[in-house]
Every structure is written in structure tokens, then in C-alpha cells.
Amino acid sequence: DAKQYLESRGLSAETIETLGIGYAPPQGLLSHLKQKGFSADLASRAGLLNERGQEKFRERIMFPIRDLYGKPVGFGGRITRKDTKAPKYLNSPASPVFEKRRLLYGLDVSRDFIRKTGYAILVEGYMDYAVLFEQGVVNAAAALGTAFTEQHAVLLKRFAQKVYLCFDADEAGMKAAMRSFQILAPGGLYVYGVPLPPGEDPDSFIRS
């Protein structure tokens, strides 16, 4: 199911490998970590177990969230099953190594391209970023299921002077863009909005 979903979104094996996209099976992570010498307590502190001690990410497509040096510090997981009330996306909780207000998805891959072009295209989700990357738009980054922050502005200024907000062409996307503008512009960035045709998102627009 996971492989078919990624293929249906147009992602090549090369993009999947570059971004480290994987899959979390129904169980097996905790026993694997114990074999590697990691305790359940450490796995819990890292956000891999829930409050009941169960594996947090199960039957999900996994997007590793990496720091600027390419080291995984958290995960985003997308559900593959449709017959469930579980949230579509699940992110790692805050941990000693993971603060989503200080991280942007894909920046470890895109930072040199952003620096070279002088601007970054900011999108809302993992798949938006992955599809843009697949189509050759390699100077993008994505928020981690939350609004952009002042820390994001400081981080982006290390690589670019301009950012383009490319969100969904609906009311929620427009409101998110306005909130992001109000946060990023005072940080010294030139902020622009990218209006998409009604009903489009960055993923669907670039593929069409």
C-alpha cells in the first residue's frame, strides 16, 4: 500500500532514497531497538513510543526529519489505511533533539540550492516538498505541521533573502500564508505569496 501510494504521487525510487522515505510496519521497532542496545525509556524520550509504551508510528509512510547536517532527529508519518479514525499525519513530539519550531523539512537537502538561487519556496507538508523535489524544484522547504516561527526566519536568513509562500489555494491556505507573512517579514526576509488556481495545491499544480 505504501509503495503504491508513493508511486501514485509520482515519486521515483531516487527521490524516495534521497529523502529517506520509508515505512513503519505494525510492530517490531521496539524489539529491534533493544537488540541494538537501546532501552524502552530512551525510545520513549525520543518520541518513538506513546504514553502506553506502544510504538507510536505503525503502518505509516515515514518521512525522516533531519537537521542541517542530515542526521534524523524526528519523524513524520502518513497513514496508509483508509478504514481508521487515526490522524492522517503524525509527527514526533518535542524531545531533547527535536524542536519543530527550529527545523524545516527538506532544508538539509535544499539549503545549497536555496543559497545558490537566493530564495526559498515554502510549502506546508512533506508530500508537497517531495513532489516539488521530484519535479526539479530543489530550493524548497516545508513546515512541520505547524506555523512558521521567528526561529524559522532566523534559520532561513542564513541561506536566502527572499521566500515565496506556496500554500493550498483555499481559505485555510490563505490564512496560513498571512500568518506566515506576519512572522517571517519582521525577521528581515522579503516575503511573497504565490497564488495558485482555485482548488490546487503545490503538489497537484506542479504535476499538472
Side-chain angles (χ1 to χ4, degrees):
D1 288 346
K3 189 174 182 180
Q4 287 179 354
Y5 174 79
L6 293 172
E7 288 176 350
S8 75
R9 302 298 292 268
L11 298 188
S12 65
E14 182 181 4
T15 292
I16 291 170
E17 182 177 356
T18 299
L19 301 183
I21 300 172
Y23 177 73
Q27 58 184 6
L29 174 64
L30 185 55
S31 60
H32 173 75
L33 290 174
K34 286 181 176 179
Q35 289 176 0
K36 293 288 187 179
F38 298 106
S39 67
D41 177 64
L42 190 59
S44 180
R45 289 178 61 202
L48 298 174
L49 305 181
N50 61 25
E51 60 276 3
R52 297 186 299 276
Q54 300 171 325
E55 294 169 16
K56 184 179 180 72
F57 298 102
R58 290 174 290 177
E59 296 182 276
R60 288 179 179 270
I61 297 170
M62 298 297 290
F63 298 86
I65 301 164
R66 303 181 289 211
D67 63 18
L68 286 177
Y69 306 102
K71 295 181 179 179
V73 293
F75 294 95
R78 189 194 192 282
I79 200 77
T80 56
R81 293 169 51 202
K82 295 181 180 179
D83 58 336
T84 178
K85 294 182 179 179
K88 181 187 290 187
Y89 279 96
L90 203 60
N91 290 321
S92 289
S95 75
V97 296
F98 180 66
E99 284 188 87
K100 59 185 178 182
R101 62 195 176 118
R102 297 179 182 275
L103 293 162
L104 290 170
Y105 178 71
L107 193 59
D108 61 302
V109 175
S110 298
R111 61 177 186 172
D112 290 340
F113 299 108
I114 291 172
R115 183 184 284 119
K116 185 176 181 179
T117 60
Y119 67 93
I121 299 171
L122 301 183
V123 294
E124 293 183 271
Y126 308 111
M127 282 305 305
D128 285 336
Y129 175 88
V131 172
L132 261 63
F133 186 87
E134 173 71 34
Q135 297 294 334
V137 182
V138 290
N139 57 333
L144 302 173
T146 185
F148 291 102
T149 67
E150 294 176 1
Q151 289 93 335
H152 289 144
V154 172
L155 181 60
L156 286 165
K157 276 204 71 176
R158 293 173 57 183
F159 307 104
Q161 291 296 316
K162 297 187 290 187
V163 296
Y164 290 84
L165 305 174
C166 190
F167 295 169
D168 294 359
D170 56 20
E171 185 177 355
M174 292 300 295
K175 287 182 178 179
M178 286 304 299
R179 287 194 303 269
S180 300
F181 173 81
Q182 291 166 354
I183 292 293
L184 297 174
L189 291 164
Y190 293 97
V191 184
Y192 303 87
V194 180
L196 297 177
E200 296 273 19
D201 58 30
D203 174 1
S204 65
F205 179 71
I206 196 167
R207 287 195 291 139
S208 64

